[in-house]
Amino acid sequence: EIVLTQSPATLSLSPGERATLSCRASQSVNNYLTWYQQKPGQAPRLLIYDASKRATGIPARFSGSGSGTDFTLTISSLEPEDFAVYYCQQRSNWPPLTFGGGTKVEIK
Amino acid sequence: QVHLVQSGAEVKKPGSSVKVSCKASGGTFNNHPISWVRQAPGQGLEWMGRIIPVLAIVNYAQKFQGRLTITADKSTSTAYMELSSLRSEDTAVYYCLENYFDYWGQGTLVTVSP
């Protein structure tokens, strides 16, 4: 089973700042890495798939990069609605589908 | 666009079973995998298993083997997740997820309480 480790667990930033979130896989997932945003009481929302492709309707301030085992989600300038929990997920070698533990982006 | 609509919240006793449904409206999902993912209060996302309805293939996370049954009714585009021998640690929101287009259901809260 591929284990995904996200860091940091919590990121405290102010609106307008840049957020950099990391997701590391225990073995290569090629580019089959997905990023989700989740707000309280809501289902996860697809942001990025195949490591770097923005989903429909996702603002350009969200970008994904990386390959193999190391991936990054960058939010170039945080908007108030971006404060949420972010999860990575791999489906390179599934089942099982695996998720990272999440990074909470909170208002500083 | 397909919408996945799940059945309503459930309250169950320890040791009992729960069955949650997930119906595709606006389309069908017969060709694509449907997964079940759960989220305990304040915790992360946990994949439980999947079904590929058209192939009748089912896979379960090892943690749930023997306790989880995932089925699908192709005629109604509805998937089901049944979890047995419930314990308090199974209290969570359960989501269905269409894996190809990444559509999520709205979630179903299952509370296990004496």
Side-chain angles (χ1 to χ4, degrees):
Chain A
E1 173 177 324
I2 296 176
V3 177
L4 298 179
T5 302
Q6 291 188 241
S7 61
T10 304
L11 202 49
S12 297
L13 295 168
S14 300
E17 289 193 294
R18 182 184 188 89
T20 304
L21 288 66
S22 173
C23 177
R24 178 165 290 177
S26 59
Q27 63 190 76
S28 175
V29 299
N30 299 296
N31 284 345
Y32 295 113
L33 196 286
T34 300
W35 289 96
Y36 296 98
Q37 176 194 70
Q38 189 179 34
K39 296 180 180 180
Q42 297 182 14
R45 173 195 182 195
L46 176 65
L47 295 177
I48 302 287
Y49 65 97
D50 293 350
S52 62
K53 298 174 182 176
R54 264 191 308 276
T56 302
I58 301 303
R61 64 181 181 272
F62 291 92
S63 63
S65 62
S67 64
T69 61
D70 289 296
F71 299 88
T72 300
L73 174 69
T74 301
I75 311 171
S76 59
S77 178
L78 283 163
E79 296 288 338
E81 62 268 27
D82 298 337
F83 292 92
V85 180
Y86 293 82
Y87 293 96
C88 58
Q89 175 221 72
Q90 71 79 27
R91 53 179 173 179
S92 169
N93 183 21
W94 81 293
L97 207 61
T98 53
F99 293 89
T103 291
K104 181 180 182 180
V105 178
E106 65 177 23
I107 299 176
K108 186 174 182 180
Chain B
Q1 183 175 353
V2 173
H3 290 280
L4 300 182
V5 180
Q6 298 183 221
S7 49
E10 302 263 12
V11 179
K12 294 292 182 180
K13 300 287 188 188
S16 67
S17 298
V18 68
K19 191 170 186 177
V20 179
S21 67
C22 168
K23 181 174 174 58
S25 64
T28 65
F29 57 46
N30 292 338
N31 294 331
H32 301 148
I34 298 289
S35 286
W36 288 91
V37 175
R38 77 176 185 180
Q39 186 170 38
Q43 302 301 308
L45 301 166
E46 180 177 34
W47 182 80
M48 302 176 68
R50 73 162 183 188
I51 187 166
I52 307 175
V54 68
L55 299 175
I57 290 174
V58 184
N59 304 99
Y60 301 115
Q62 192 160 3
K63 175 178 179 177
F64 299 101
Q65 289 276 2
R67 210 161 66 93
L68 176 63
T69 304
I70 296 175
T71 56
D73 183 340
K74 290 182 287 185
S75 67
T76 61
S77 294
T78 303
Y80 299 92
M81 183 283 300
E82 184 170 20
L83 189 62
S84 63
S85 302
L86 289 170
R87 35 210 188 228
S88 59
E89 309 88 90
D90 295 317
T91 294
V93 176
Y94 290 77
Y95 294 101
C96 59
L97 161 63
E98 192 273 17
N99 289 106
Y100 188 78
F101 290 108
D102 222 285
Y103 298 134
W104 290 71
Q106 83 275 21
T108 296
L109 175 62
V110 175
T111 303
V112 182
S113 179

